[in-house]
Amino acid sequence: MLAAAAVSLRQESAVLAALGSRFAERGHELYLVGGSVRDAVLGRLGADLDFATDARPEQVQEILRGWVDHQWDTGLAFGTISAAKGAHQIEITTYRSDAYDRTSRNPVVAYGNTLAEDLVRRDFTVNAMAVRVAGTGAADFVDPLGGLDALLAGVLDTPATPEQSFGDDPLRMLRAARFVSQLGFEPAPRVRAAMRAMAGEIDRITAERVRAELDKLLLGDYPVEGIDLLVETGLADRVLPEVPAMRLEIDEHHQHKDVYRHSLTVLTQAIDLEDGDPDLVLRWAALLHDIGKPATRRHEPGGGVSFHHHEVVGAKQVRTRMRALKYPKQLTEDVSRLVFLHLRFHGYGKGRWTDSAVRRYVADAGDLLPRLHKLVRADCTTRNKRRAAALQATYSELEARIARLAEQEDLARVRPDLDGNAIMELLDIPAGPQVGRAWRYLKELRLDRGPLSRDDAEAALLAWWRAQ
């Protein structure tokens, strides 16, 4: 693995050598640290480079001046200077030996004098390795805490005791789940035990920081394992309680142990349908599509179970949870709408929808239609191969109908055949609520009957107006 690191670092030798020379000329140490070293060892070093140095922030600013393209001091209070050099994003932090107030997650920043005391304060041993950066490039691998062995074993452990580490910064518990998702690692038993015992400490963390970690977890290569860790340790009960609540609910087809497992299967299948980059909206919708089931569960005569209108309840729960986590309005609405629409297809039967129903399906989904296609397909988790094939074939037939209608009319922008000005002129009314009502009537007519000629649209509007 060190050979992979050497190759990765050699590819960045121009930047590393130039930066190392500037610090060495001024008598300062510079080390590549944290995730950058971990990723280099894994052979996946990117353009974001993290460094640690004995130079104070003001000295770092002076060293970088004239060499980087831009630099920022937004992290100055925590000893961090950020800069851009070509395609590289660089962060350089003065050695730290922070203390924490154990009330918030904010450290009382104290600068350290050695690399060793800086490394021991880091979250996990796999992020506590360093490589000395000199004017000739990169050399001297430093691993005082066994990070390389942990990396080889695929184990997440803390430099200090987990209780001390998580007590200092409870966000590290979410970071553990995130690294499980991103790297496929397994938490050490003592880390898992501490997460379980200290889950309540996560309440000290702001919603924005929790949200950022959840997104990184969900976008990882192994999100199911990360979510499982959150649920098993009780962290999900604090930050995403609707997900563990699904463990007790058996789905109506009795195909899975519980709705929770079904939802993780849907998430996995949705990921398999992604085109290119991970899709955060689709992944959130897949995970949360059935969160309305616990609140709508009903035991029916004969031993059956129903979840009527769980998509409606679930969409409301999505909005509530995502607002609490301070998600942007658009992302919240997109996920909520997908959850609301994910069952609509099951009314299609064997193609019994009218063209009007197809238009409404497309219009209600809007820009989310490609994601809705993926979500509906991913939600087919039956183990009955014949039934699964029939469902997929039926949905393919619906997509084909949508395509045929789209060739005949603009399904992406279903609008009334008359605009507001034409409505006011035809009905001889001023701008106001009546125009809006007339506009909505024409839109419903357009959805029902498809495009109308101007004469037909005017005749229909006049007939409706007289009836009012």
Side-chain angles (χ1 to χ4, degrees):
M1 292 187 100
L2 287 179
V7 171
S8 295
L9 295 171
R10 196 156 46 240
Q11 293 172 344
E12 308 297 337
S13 60
V15 170
L16 295 175
L19 198 55
S21 293
R22 296 182 74 86
F23 276 79
E25 288 167 2
R26 292 161 177 80
H28 292 296
E29 300 174 351
L30 184 69
Y31 286 86
L32 191 69
V33 293
S36 294
V37 178
R38 180 199 70 223
D39 289 345
V41 173
L42 292 172
R44 48 190 278 182
L45 180 62
D48 293 350
L49 303 175
D50 296 328
F51 299 90
T53 180
D54 61 339
R56 295 300 189 254
E58 297 78 8
Q59 294 171 314
V60 174
Q61 288 178 310
E62 179 58 32
I63 293 170
L64 294 179
R65 191 168 292 123
W67 181 72
V68 296
D69 301 325
H70 305 283
Q71 63 172 289
W72 300 269
D73 61 1
T74 50
L76 185 62
F78 298 100
T80 299
I81 302 300
S82 302
K85 175 67 175 179
H88 292 88
Q89 296 296 315
I90 296 167
E91 281 197 354
I92 303 176
T93 302
T94 301
Y95 295 156
R96 280 161 47 177
S97 55
D98 302 336
Y100 289 78
D101 60 18
R102 296 296 178 107
T103 301
S104 69
R105 71 166 300 274
N106 297 322
V108 179
V109 176
Y111 296 132
N113 296 308
T114 66
L115 176 68
E117 61 185 328
D118 181 88
L119 293 180
V120 77
R121 74 172 183 82
R122 293 180 178 269
D123 54 2
F124 300 103
T125 57
V126 294
N127 295 328
M129 300 179 285
V131 173
R132 185 175 66 86
V133 179
T136 55
D140 294 347
F141 178 69
V142 181
D143 182 21
L145 299 164
L148 183 59
D149 288 341
L151 199 64
L152 288 169
V155 172
L156 278 178
D157 204 353
T158 52
T161 66
E163 291 78 9
Q164 179 181 339
S165 182
F166 298 156
D168 283 345
D169 185 0
L171 187 69
R172 289 171 174 170
M173 294 186 287
L174 287 187
R175 286 170 63 84
R178 188 243 290 187
F179 286 128
V180 165
S181 173
Q182 290 180 327
L183 304 173
F185 285 9
E186 176 71 18
R190 68 173 190 161
V191 168
R192 193 182 291 269
M195 292 171 68
R196 198 176 293 119
M198 301 178 68
E201 293 294 307
I202 201 66
D203 294 346
R204 290 160 45 192
I205 305 302
T206 65
E208 292 85 353
R209 297 301 305 277
V210 169
R211 179 193 73 209
E213 291 299 325
L214 290 177
D215 282 351
K216 291 174 184 176
L217 184 161
L218 209 57
L219 292 172
D221 291 335
Y222 310 97
V224 167
E225 287 79 357
I227 294 163
D228 261 341
L229 180 60
L230 291 184
V231 170
E232 179 210 322
T233 57
L235 279 164
D237 290 318
R238 319 295 300 200
V239 300
L240 204 59
E242 297 81 2
V243 170
M246 292 190 290
R247 287 179 297 175
L248 303 178
E249 307 304 321
I250 301 172
D251 76 10
E252 63 266 42
H253 304 300
H254 303 281
Q255 300 158 348
H256 297 271
K257 181 178 179 181
D258 52 33
V259 175
Y260 170 68
R261 283 292 155 198
H262 162 75
S263 298
L264 295 185
T265 300
V266 173
L267 172 60
T268 299
Q269 295 184 166
I271 291 171
D272 290 340
L273 294 172
E274 287 176 338
D275 302 315
D277 294 334
D279 187 334
L280 184 62
V281 170
L282 177 63
R283 293 189 182 199
W284 269 121
L287 176 63
L288 302 180
H289 75 286
D290 273 349
I291 62 170
K293 282 188 170 180
T296 58
R297 185 186 191 188
R298 297 291 181 271
H299 293 280
E300 303 293 346
V305 178
S306 67
F307 303 96
H308 296 308
H309 305 302
H310 74 267
E311 75 282 10
V312 178
V313 173
K316 292 178 180 177
Q317 289 179 305
V318 166
R319 285 195 293 273
T320 299
R321 177 54 50 198
M322 300 194 91
R323 286 169 182 165
L325 290 169
K326 305 296 180 65
Y327 272 92
K329 181 179 179 180
Q330 189 60 58
L331 190 144
T332 299
E333 290 304 314
D334 286 350
V335 176
S336 176
R337 177 151 291 275
L338 285 172
V339 171
F340 179 74
L341 292 173
H342 83 275
L343 275 189
R344 180 81 64 85
F345 160 70
H346 293 284
Y348 187 73
K350 296 185 179 299
R352 289 192 294 267
W353 277 3
T354 63
D355 284 350
S356 172
V358 175
R359 289 189 195 96
R360 290 178 186 279
Y361 188 73
V362 174
D364 288 347
D367 293 341
L368 295 171
L369 185 63
R371 288 185 173 115
L372 182 58
H373 289 333
K374 294 182 178 71
L375 178 60
V376 173
R377 289 188 181 277
D379 195 25
C380 175
T381 59
T382 176
R383 294 170 184 164
N384 184 317
K385 292 183 179 180
R386 182 176 298 176
R387 175 173 165 76
L391 284 170
Q392 296 293 346
T394 302
Y395 201 79
S396 294
E397 200 276 330
L398 172 58
E399 287 192 82
R401 282 188 65 185
I402 292 172
R404 287 195 298 271
L405 274 176
E407 291 176 355
Q408 301 166 18
E409 53 190 272
D410 186 2
L411 287 181
R413 292 172 58 97
V414 175
R415 300 182 62 81
D417 297 285
L418 302 176
D419 62 18
N421 290 328
I423 291 171
M424 288 188 289
E425 180 180 349
L426 180 65
L427 301 183
D428 192 23
I429 57 175
Q434 290 178 321
V435 177
R437 288 175 54 221
W439 190 93
R440 287 189 291 274
Y441 164 75
L442 286 173
K443 182 174 181 181
E444 289 298 311
L445 192 66
R446 169 71 171 78
L447 286 168
D448 283 338
R449 294 169 53 182
L452 300 176
S453 68
R454 188 177 184 91
D455 287 346
D456 287 344
E458 289 181 349
L461 180 60
L462 287 170
W464 172 82
W465 182 248
R466 285 192 292 269
Q468 301 306 301

